[in-house]
Amino acid sequence: MKYIVIGLGYFGGTLAANLTSEGHEVIGIDNRSEKIDELKDTISIVMEMDATNQNALKSLPLQDVDAVIVAIGEDIGSSVLALSILQNLKVERIIGRAITPQHRHILKQLGIDEIVQPEEDSALLVSSMLQIKYAKRVMELNSENAIAEILVPERYIGHSLNSVNIKGRFNLNTITVKIFPEGKRIDRNTDSDCEIDYTIDFDRPLTETDILVVTGKNMNIKKFTES
């Protein structure tokens, strides 16, 4: 998989280095030459660039990556501007980092659906989330097993859990289903509007706003999301 990480402070640098160590292609972006020198041997590609410059961002392979993560921290203005430019450039998956509740509120108002907060989401946990398609949260149980919150893959929307047969086909156990109101924009940090279906209605058609909470081997979770 391919990623662009903008902002190579402790959080962004750790995230980019970990993704690289897992075998992914990562482009790390920062406007500080000392960060480029510090991380050039641990990240696939590092580039010194002003991420608030639209022409500079347009030079990146934005349409050829699985996600662009804006990990800029203290400079909220630069974070917002970079995210806004990426939205205007129609990047498919954008993940923003928020360092305060106010920062997070601004990103939500901007229309950023995926927001990580370092005090809640470590770089390693975000790295795990990024490597599983449709994942909103991943809690690793050990190196091979995890609990994952997964958006319903497009091909299964409208199908029931019985017809999908997650247990039989992918050897995954469904713990629960988070059911959000129709038309509700899903925010991985605010689950207060969702209903938790612990009894699990296996005959109910799955919707695009459902989140499946499953557990099993990492490779099987990936098979399910990529099938």
Side-chain angles (χ1 to χ4, degrees):
M1 301 177 80
K2 299 180 181 179
Y3 303 99
I4 295 174
V5 179
I6 298 174
L8 299 178
Y10 178 78
F11 179 81
T14 302
L15 174 61
N18 189 70
L19 287 169
T20 299
S21 71
E22 294 286 342
H24 303 285
E25 184 178 328
V26 181
I27 299 175
I29 304 294
D30 204 283
N31 62 358
R32 298 164 292 181
S33 59
E34 63 271 21
K35 282 294 177 184
I36 302 303
D37 290 338
E38 176 186 336
L39 296 168
K40 63 184 179 181
D41 295 327
T42 57
I43 300 173
S44 308
I45 300 170
V46 287
M47 300 175 64
E48 184 176 350
M49 179 182 294
D50 178 4
T52 65
N53 183 311
Q54 179 166 307
N55 289 329
L57 288 181
K58 285 174 68 174
S59 69
L60 297 171
L62 299 173
Q63 308 307 324
D64 297 326
V65 295
D66 294 279
V68 178
I69 304 95
V70 177
I72 298 171
E74 285 67 26
D75 191 344
I76 293 176
S78 293
S79 163
V80 171
L81 184 52
L83 286 162
S84 179
I85 292 171
L86 291 169
Q87 282 190 313
N88 290 335
L89 294 175
K90 309 298 182 185
V91 175
E92 184 173 348
R93 187 180 185 190
I94 305 170
I95 298 172
R97 172 196 177 192
I99 59 170
T100 66
Q102 292 80 11
H103 188 186
R104 180 172 171 274
H105 178 71
I106 293 170
L107 299 192
K108 287 188 67 178
Q109 292 297 109
L110 191 63
I112 303 300
D113 291 328
E114 293 191 74
I115 302 171
V116 296
Q117 295 179 252
E119 68 274 17
E120 298 175 5
D121 306 292
S122 75
L124 296 181
L125 287 177
V126 174
S127 173
S128 297
M129 179 195 78
L130 283 168
Q131 295 177 66
I132 298 177
K133 193 175 182 181
Y134 298 107
K136 288 298 180 182
R137 285 191 181 93
V138 175
M139 183 177 75
E140 293 188 345
L141 301 176
N142 59 23
S143 61
E144 295 183 351
N145 298 273
I147 297 172
E149 296 187 12
I150 306 291
L151 277 173
V152 179
E154 290 179 14
R155 68 172 299 178
Y156 297 129
I157 294 172
H159 296 268
S160 69
L161 283 170
N162 270 333
S163 65
V164 176
N165 191 17
I166 295 176
K167 177 64 175 177
R169 294 173 59 200
F170 303 101
N171 197 26
L172 297 175
N173 291 308
T174 304
I175 299 173
T176 188
V177 180
K178 289 185 173 183
I179 302 173
F180 285 79
E182 186 176 351
K184 172 73 176 180
R185 191 176 75 191
I186 297 174
D187 181 340
R188 67 186 298 274
N189 293 298
T190 54
D191 293 335
S192 58
D193 291 334
C194 75
E195 172 191 345
I196 306 297
D197 181 13
Y198 285 114
T199 59
I200 308 179
D201 182 352
F202 283 83
D203 293 317
R204 170 183 167 272
L206 297 169
T207 73
E208 64 181 2
T209 56
D210 289 341
I211 291 181
L212 304 176
V213 184
V214 301
T215 185
K217 290 189 176 297
N218 296 332
M219 63 180 182
N220 291 336
I221 297 173
K222 290 182 180 180
K223 285 178 182 178
F224 167 60
T225 60
E226 296 170 2
S227 64

